[in-house]
Amino acid sequence: MLLFVGAIATFSTTLMAANNDGSYCHSATSNVDMLICKDPKLSLLHKQMLEMYQQVLTQSMVSEASVIKETQKNWLETRKGCLHQSDAQRCLVSTYHSRLDNLTAINATILAPLATYSFHDLKDARYNGIEDIGTPIKLQHGLWAGEPYQPGGSVMPQVILLDDIKAVGSLTESNNKMAVVLLNYSPGGTGQYLYIAVVDKESGHLKNIATQFVGDRFRVKDLKILNKKIILDVIQPGKNDSACCPGDVVQHVWHLDGNNQLVEEPNTRKIVRLTPDILSNTEWRLESWRYGDPVSAENDIRLRYINGHFTGSVACNNYTVTVKSEPRPGFINVLEQHTSVTEKQCNNPFATEQQQRYLEQLGGVSQFTYFAGKLALSYQVNGRLGVMIFSRKRPLNN
């Protein structure tokens, strides 16, 4: 019994790190390890408890996981009381059953309700496969943040689900629908690592079944599922591009194999450079004047690119402005002096102000790119920098 007591600290550490398959028994040296390994009932309970403990941690958010780890430590302390009982084996069995019941109850409260492929549910799902993190993560409102690299510091790893862009469709012969979303992993430095994640349903709950790294500082143009394949169009750095300004328009294609692995297919499309021509055949609607400054719902400001011109509507008027492409990919010169606008009197009392602001910002645009499937126009007006964000309205006929 004294040897049993002396070994409990060693076993406590082993318990927190042991493999679920019981492989720790191969190197068991302490009396308590050997007692667990030699007793089939205790060995099974030990394995079940470890599996449930790891499942609860996986299901949990970071804040919840810290509490669960603390309850596990408290349970280890409580379990020591069995050493003072006349029948230690019986006491341990009872203690394991109690912990299993407790973990099962915790897991029931953590498990998300039956889910859909809506952004509301996808932004609170669990994801895995990000190499640097190594363990599954639980998003909360589309965001996961790890522990700071330095105690009390502000630099920490983060994962963000790119909002407003996803694809839902069949990727297997079963024709069951799955969702494909994009995750941006920021380790805390300058890198912005893009991942693609496939989400299926298991018993009505969302389950991330495959995750694949795409690239660093890629800008997403479009994402879709077609003929059971994932098609992702991105703007990525070319051979001589600086990190700030990727210029190659590239299409990546994956299929999901029988082992739920994403397999990228050879690129058969020609890589082209980012020029205004890529904007053709699409109509855009202004979503925000700049980050954090959305356009009010009653305003409908449209933009198209046609043969060297931005054209569209603002308030009740139509406009056309000449656009000149610059040598650097994604850079343009909007010739404000070459602007024509109709002169209708609009019913909206703020129409004149909105029209003036929009055309002024449009005239100051010097660069364009994509962000999560949206068009981003960078401008400078009176020394003030900003980015107008447009959402895709509808494709036009070629």
Side-chain angles (χ1 to χ4, degrees):
M1 182 61 73
L2 289 175
L3 290 173
F4 193 19
V5 174
I8 189 67
T10 302
F11 178 63
S12 297
T13 302
T14 305
L15 176 62
M16 301 294 284
N19 295 327
N20 287 352
D21 60 5
S23 59
Y24 76 96
C25 286
H26 298 307
S27 57
T29 56
S30 69
N31 285 4
V32 68
D33 286 345
M34 290 186 287
L35 175 63
I36 295 294
C37 294
K38 289 179 180 179
D39 188 306
K41 189 169 186 178
L42 277 175
S43 183
L44 177 60
L45 286 171
H46 177 79
K47 181 176 183 293
Q48 291 173 341
M49 191 278 298
L50 280 177
E51 289 175 345
M52 180 57 71
Y53 177 65
Q54 292 299 326
Q55 181 178 335
V56 168
L57 285 181
T58 299
Q59 300 274 20
S60 304
M61 294 179 290
V62 173
S63 58
E64 295 170 337
S66 62
V67 175
I68 293 163
K69 290 177 183 178
E70 190 64 29
T71 64
Q72 186 76 351
K73 292 178 182 179
N74 293 339
W75 175 76
L76 289 170
E77 290 298 318
T78 301
R79 193 187 56 163
K80 289 181 181 180
C82 289
L83 305 179
H84 305 294
Q85 301 296 318
S86 59
D87 190 341
Q89 193 268 359
R90 181 178 180 182
C91 180
L92 284 171
V93 169
S94 176
T95 302
Y96 271 103
H97 277 303
S98 177
R99 183 55 174 161
L100 272 168
D101 290 343
N102 177 252
L103 289 172
T104 301
I106 293 173
N107 194 52
T109 63
I110 292 173
L111 191 61
L114 296 182
T116 68
Y117 290 142
S118 67
F119 276 111
H120 178 273
D121 291 341
L122 290 164
K123 289 166 73 172
D124 283 327
R126 296 166 180 84
Y127 297 89
N128 53 61
I130 297 179
E131 291 92 340
D132 285 356
I133 298 175
T135 59
I137 60 171
K138 169 72 168 64
L139 297 186
Q140 187 174 21
H141 306 303
L143 171 67
W144 173 88
E147 296 293 332
Y149 293 113
Q150 298 294 332
S154 59
V155 180
M156 63 192 72
Q158 293 184 332
V159 177
I160 299 174
L161 185 141
L162 297 188
D163 206 352
D164 293 336
I165 185 165
K166 66 178 178 180
V168 177
S170 172
L171 294 172
T172 64
E173 294 302 322
S174 68
N175 290 322
N176 292 333
K177 288 187 176 181
M178 300 178 184
V180 178
V181 295
L182 299 170
L183 302 171
N184 185 78
Y185 166 56
S186 173
T190 58
Q192 297 293 327
Y193 302 113
L194 182 68
Y195 283 79
I196 190 166
V198 179
V199 179
D200 198 1
K201 288 183 184 177
E202 186 175 276
S203 300
H205 302 284
L206 297 183
K207 182 179 181 181
N208 174 208
I209 62 170
T211 303
Q212 178 67 44
F213 173 67
V214 180
D216 181 12
R217 281 170 277 202
F218 283 17
R219 311 288 173 82
V220 178
K221 179 178 180 288
D222 196 17
L223 172 67
K224 56 181 174 285
I225 295 175
L226 186 63
N227 297 327
K228 295 182 171 58
K229 296 181 180 181
I230 301 170
I231 301 175
L232 178 67
D233 294 301
V234 299
I235 315 300
Q236 65 186 54
K239 183 177 180 180
N240 298 313
D241 291 343
S242 58
C244 74
C245 311
D248 279 357
V249 182
V250 182
Q251 184 172 94
H252 296 270
V253 180
W254 294 269
H255 69 264
L256 191 68
D257 70 11
N259 296 316
N260 284 341
Q261 297 291 320
L262 284 171
V263 179
E264 185 164 6
E265 301 184 357
N267 183 15
T268 58
R269 295 186 57 171
K270 181 181 178 181
I271 296 175
V272 298
R273 297 293 277 170
L274 183 62
T275 69
D277 289 338
I278 201 172
L279 301 175
S280 300
N281 304 318
T282 305
E283 185 178 34
W284 303 91
R285 184 180 185 276
L286 184 63
E287 190 174 277
S288 62
W289 297 102
R290 62 178 185 273
Y291 291 119
D293 187 6
V295 174
S296 57
E298 63 270 15
N299 293 318
D300 189 12
I301 301 173
R302 307 291 183 94
L303 177 142
R304 302 175 186 173
Y305 178 81
I306 303 175
N307 297 327
H309 298 85
F310 281 147
T311 182
S313 59
V314 53
C316 65
N317 284 302
N318 298 322
Y319 68 88
T320 300
V321 57
T322 301
V323 178
K324 181 181 178 182
S325 180
E326 298 291 336
R328 293 177 63 188
F331 282 80
I332 55 177
N333 183 15
V334 177
L335 306 180
E336 192 174 8
Q337 67 273 24
H338 293 194
T339 303
S340 62
V341 189
T342 58
E343 299 181 354
K344 298 178 182 178
Q345 294 297 317
C346 305
N347 294 327
N348 186 342
F350 301 104
T352 301
E353 178 184 343
Q354 292 165 355
Q355 179 173 305
Q356 180 179 349
R357 179 181 183 181
Y358 174 67
L359 293 177
E360 187 178 57
Q361 290 184 184
L362 188 64
V365 168
S366 60
Q367 188 178 2
F368 77 96
T369 190
Y370 289 85
F371 177 77
K374 298 180 180 182
L375 174 64
L377 298 184
S378 301
Y379 65 86
Q380 180 173 350
V381 175
N382 299 324
R384 178 171 53 90
L385 300 174
V387 180
M388 288 191 289
I389 302 296
F390 295 76
S391 56
R392 183 181 282 105
K393 188 61 180 175
R394 65 177 182 272
L396 301 175
N397 293 330
N398 291 327

